[in-house]
Amino acid sequence: MLLTTKDFYTEFTENRHILPYYTKLESNYNKKIFYSAKRDTSTIYNLKCISIKLFPKYLTPYFYTDTNIGVKKIFQKDVNGCAILIKEKVTIALFLRNEYSKKFRTSINRSVNRFELCFNYSYKMITESITAKQYKFLMGVLHKMLVYRFNQRNEPNDVLDNWDYYYNLVFNLVNTNKASILVIYSNDEPINISINYHFKNILFISISSFNHNFSKFSLGNISIYKTIEWALSNNYNLLDMGYGDLEYKRFWSNYMYEYENHIVYKKTHITNAIASIEASKIKIKNTLKKYPIAKKVAKFKTLFRKNKSSLNHSINYKTIDVLNPITANLSEVHFGDRNFNLIAKPLYDYLFLNSIHLDCIRVYEIEYSKEYLIVGSKKTQKVKLN
């Protein structure tokens, strides 16, 4: 095969592997050498033509210099990366003050404080020695959360489509100190799980999801907050959130970057032509991205994607304030009961809106009516499920 293709970013993040066509990588965020290769020309001399996509431009690449080797670098349009740059080792409070606006800091601190006010919480960063049993449980929870999230958005997801691959990959990486799993707990229940890859001083925030019943509490932002806090204490310089135009990434990012496509080839008449054709194809794709048809094609693919599951049915409910609740003949619903999940979303919304701890309320079921009473020190509400 005269032309092969590689994904630099996947090799870099998931496999912690630098493709052998680079002699050195320099980090643009601190001007230090990130990677330097041992002199091994066997791969480069056997080269025909390779197209390498998704090279992050927070690194400067250096290639083998040889009169018989050619390199073409082409900008990848509309593929933007988001990262959080750590310039100095400080406390999380000082980091937020240095890097973000007062409005943003207030919002994040409010989210953390409100969550910790309402629940029996804990945070755990698992960086090594996870048992197969514990891993199976956490990944089962994460899978369920991802399925709900992407069904709700009616979008494909590469992790779900290749679940067995990621399941095996992450287990091995965590147990060799090359990845970590941040878990946010409420009453010992995992409600947010984030998988991070590690390569030298870069942490890659890669796979994350949360329990939709806690949607008002901004668990995604709390997860990033706790990841930054951990990274500050463990000498990381960059938290890479990858590509994908998502709102939370733009909010947190203080270091935006772009991607390049690299074409490396041995200079012969045939490979020169192949490299030129490949470069032209990438440039044409870049040009087409500015037209609306590109978005329509992406939407069309989503509608007919494989393994498409039925959409989730979100819990809809109405609330009515009750002044003098009567609970004497009602059955109390406890955390962990079989029907607790039916009332979980309205209950957690109630906690958020009233700034009250879970242990300070009581929930009662009004039989045969799909109605519940949430009784707190400040307010009682009747919840009607639709």
Side-chain angles (χ1 to χ4, degrees), residues 167-224:
Y167 186 94
N168 294 322
L169 172 74
V170 174
F171 181 74
N172 293 327
L173 290 180
V174 171
N175 278 303
T176 53
N177 297 308
K178 298 171 184 175
S180 61
I181 304 175
L182 173 65
V183 188
I184 301 177
Y185 292 92
S186 169
N187 277 356
D188 298 323
E189 174 193 7
I191 60 173
N192 191 104
I193 299 175
S194 179
I195 294 172
N196 313 298
Y197 303 126
H198 305 258
F199 196 163
K200 295 192 176 181
N201 58 20
I202 301 178
L203 182 148
F204 303 92
I205 301 175
S206 299
I207 305 170
S208 184
S209 198
F210 64 92
N211 185 324
H212 69 279
N213 288 331
F214 295 79
S215 57
K216 282 193 178 296
F217 287 90
S218 301
L219 292 179
N221 284 327
I222 297 174
S223 177
I224 294 177

Side-chain angles (χ1 to χ4, degrees), residues 330-365:
L330 300 180
S331 299
E332 187 171 356
V333 180
H334 299 280
F335 179 82
D337 289 351
R338 290 182 62 184
N339 60 340
F340 181 84
N341 198 52
L342 293 173
I343 192 65
K345 178 67 168 64
L347 172 59
Y348 297 155
D349 289 354
Y350 172 95
L351 299 180
F352 178 86
L353 294 171
N354 293 281
S355 300
I356 189 170
H357 194 278
L358 178 64
D359 293 344
C360 297
I361 56 91
R362 295 290 182 269
V363 180
Y364 299 90
E365 182 179 9

Side-chain angles (χ1 to χ4, degrees), residues 147-165:
V147 167
Y148 186 96
R149 174 185 171 190
F150 284 95
N151 279 351
Q152 192 175 50
R153 290 163 56 173
N154 193 23
E155 293 179 359
N157 178 255
D158 179 68
V159 174
L160 290 175
D161 291 341
N162 299 278
W163 183 253
D164 289 344
Y165 163 78

Side-chain angles (χ1 to χ4, degrees), residues 267-285:
K267 293 179 180 178
T268 67
H269 291 299
I270 295 176
T271 52
N272 285 349
I274 291 172
S276 296
I277 292 170
E278 177 69 5
S280 297
K281 284 169 59 179
I282 297 168
K283 290 175 183 177
I284 290 170
K285 288 180 181 178

Side-chain angles (χ1 to χ4, degrees), residues 106-119:
T106 300
S107 175
I108 296 303
N109 288 326
R110 183 187 296 119
S111 295
V112 175
N113 293 336
R114 184 68 59 89
F115 171 70
E116 295 183 351
L117 171 67
C118 293
F119 297 99

Side-chain angles (χ1 to χ4, degrees), residues 236-288:
Y236 284 88
N237 296 131
L238 194 73
L239 278 65
D240 186 355
M241 295 182 284
Y243 54 89
D245 188 21
L246 298 176
E247 189 176 50
Y248 81 91
K249 291 184 180 182
R250 295 196 303 272
F251 285 157
W252 278 103
S253 179
N254 65 353
Y255 189 87
M256 301 290 291
Y257 64 90
E258 297 170 333
Y259 290 88
E260 279 184 336
N261 192 300
H262 297 156
I263 302 170
V264 186
Y265 58 100
K266 184 171 286 187
K267 293 179 180 178
T268 67
H269 291 299
I270 295 176
T271 52
N272 285 349
I274 291 172
S276 296
I277 292 170
E278 177 69 5
S280 297
K281 284 169 59 179
I282 297 168
K283 290 175 183 177
I284 290 170
K285 288 180 181 178
N286 284 340
T287 301
L288 291 176

Side-chain angles (χ1 to χ4, degrees), residues 34-236:
F34 180 83
Y35 165 83
S36 181
K38 296 179 180 178
R39 188 69 180 173
D40 180 6
T41 57
S42 59
T43 301
I44 205 73
Y45 284 145
N46 292 325
L47 173 72
K48 292 184 174 66
C49 183
I50 185 164
S51 180
I52 305 168
K53 66 177 182 178
L54 292 174
F55 180 93
K57 291 191 68 176
Y58 56 72
L59 298 173
T60 296
Y62 293 83
F63 301 87
Y64 281 94
T65 55
D66 192 307
T67 55
N68 295 318
I69 302 298
V71 176
K72 295 180 183 290
K73 295 190 286 187
I74 304 104
F75 165 69
Q76 290 192 246
K77 184 177 175 61
D78 289 342
V79 185
N80 298 309
C82 297
I84 301 168
L85 178 61
I86 297 177
K87 301 169 186 173
E88 56 182 328
K89 188 175 181 179
V90 294
T91 64
I92 183 65
L94 186 56
F95 179 82
L96 292 178
R97 187 159 68 244
N98 290 343
E99 299 297 334
Y100 303 103
S101 68
K102 182 178 180 180
K103 182 178 179 181
F104 182 82
R105 297 197 310 270
T106 300
S107 175
I108 296 303
N109 288 326
R110 183 187 296 119
S111 295
V112 175
N113 293 336
R114 184 68 59 89
F115 171 70
E116 295 183 351
L117 171 67
C118 293
F119 297 99
N120 301 311
Y121 66 90
S122 61
Y123 309 101
K124 186 174 183 179
M125 180 70 89
I126 303 169
T127 58
E128 60 181 345
S129 302
I130 187 171
T131 66
K133 182 178 179 180
Q134 182 187 18
Y135 182 75
K136 181 179 179 180
F137 170 69
L138 290 176
M139 292 298 278
V141 174
L142 177 60
H143 185 270
K144 187 180 296 184
M145 293 190 296
L146 285 168
V147 167
Y148 186 96
R149 174 185 171 190
F150 284 95
N151 279 351
Q152 192 175 50
R153 290 163 56 173
N154 193 23
E155 293 179 359
N157 178 255
D158 179 68
V159 174
L160 290 175
D161 291 341
N162 299 278
W163 183 253
D164 289 344
Y165 163 78
Y166 285 102
Y167 186 94
N168 294 322
L169 172 74
V170 174
F171 181 74
N172 293 327
L173 290 180
V174 171
N175 278 303
T176 53
N177 297 308
K178 298 171 184 175
S180 61
I181 304 175
L182 173 65
V183 188
I184 301 177
Y185 292 92
S186 169
N187 277 356
D188 298 323
E189 174 193 7
I191 60 173
N192 191 104
I193 299 175
S194 179
I195 294 172
N196 313 298
Y197 303 126
H198 305 258
F199 196 163
K200 295 192 176 181
N201 58 20
I202 301 178
L203 182 148
F204 303 92
I205 301 175
S206 299
I207 305 170
S208 184
S209 198
F210 64 92
N211 185 324
H212 69 279
N213 288 331
F214 295 79
S215 57
K216 282 193 178 296
F217 287 90
S218 301
L219 292 179
N221 284 327
I222 297 174
S223 177
I224 294 177
Y225 174 96
K226 300 304 292 186
T227 302
I228 295 173
E229 186 177 48
W230 184 85
L232 284 164
S233 300
N234 288 272
N235 301 314
Y236 284 88

